Amino acid sequence: MSRLVHFEIHVDDMERAKEFYSRVFGWTYEDYSEYAGMPYYGAVTGDASTPGINGALMQRQGPAPEKGQAVNSFVCTMSVENFDRTEALIKEQGGTVAMPKYALPGMAWQGYFHDTEGNLIGIHEPDEQAQ
């Protein structure tokens, strides 16, 4: 069995994307641009003692996804402590709602957003009372 160990988010404006993910989710970065031969920042997404994986922001090599097009890639979903607070941060930082908050009954609150680079991302607040 193979397990997911890394993700890459393709971005047009590296500084804008770094600021978005840092302010919304608290991510920090390690610059691997020299190694990668392009703007490439390792994203530290949390403490190594908690479930999850680290990834990277990398310079987009082609056109950005168009609004409304079908999803044609993996979608990253972040676990959050407070859906509504995180949604507000996403909007404050230039993100937009793609699919509003909805209940996964007895499990969680889920929703999807476009980041500042047009990528689709999800947020997930565990809540056994979600209805």
Side-chain angles (χ1 to χ4, degrees):
M1 184 181 319
S2 297
R3 188 158 187 203
L4 183 64
V5 297
H6 183 76
F7 64 85
E8 293 175 330
I9 299 173
H10 296 239
V11 305
D12 294 315
D13 185 321
M14 185 63 72
E15 292 307 311
R16 178 178 63 199
K18 283 171 50 183
E19 184 171 332
F20 175 83
Y21 285 98
S22 178
R23 289 183 182 231
V24 173
F25 300 113
W27 294 1
T28 60
Y29 305 97
E30 298 171 354
D31 187 352
Y32 296 119
S33 300
E34 186 174 332
Y35 177 78
M38 69 171 85
Y40 193 100
Y41 287 81
V44 179
T45 65
D47 185 274
S49 66
T50 60
I53 62 172
N54 292 325
L57 303 180
M58 69 177 287
Q59 192 66 48
R60 191 183 308 280
Q61 301 297 300
E66 294 190 26
K67 289 273 188 185
Q69 82 177 44
V71 175
N72 63 0
S73 63
F74 288 99
V75 176
C76 296
T77 296
M78 276 58 79
S79 179
V80 299
E81 290 183 20
N82 184 300
F83 187 101
D84 296 331
R85 188 176 336 128
T86 304
E87 178 180 36
L89 281 170
I90 289 170
K91 291 176 179 178
E92 286 172 18
Q93 296 304 314
T96 59
V97 175
M99 180 182 283
K101 179 181 179 179
Y102 62 94
L104 298 171
M107 182 190 307
W109 296 103
Q110 182 76 31
Y112 293 91
F113 301 84
H114 292 283
D115 70 5
T116 55
E117 309 309 298
N119 298 304
L120 189 62
I121 60 171
I123 63 173
H124 178 97
E125 177 191 340
D127 181 356
E128 293 179 358
Q129 305 306 312
Q131 294 298 324

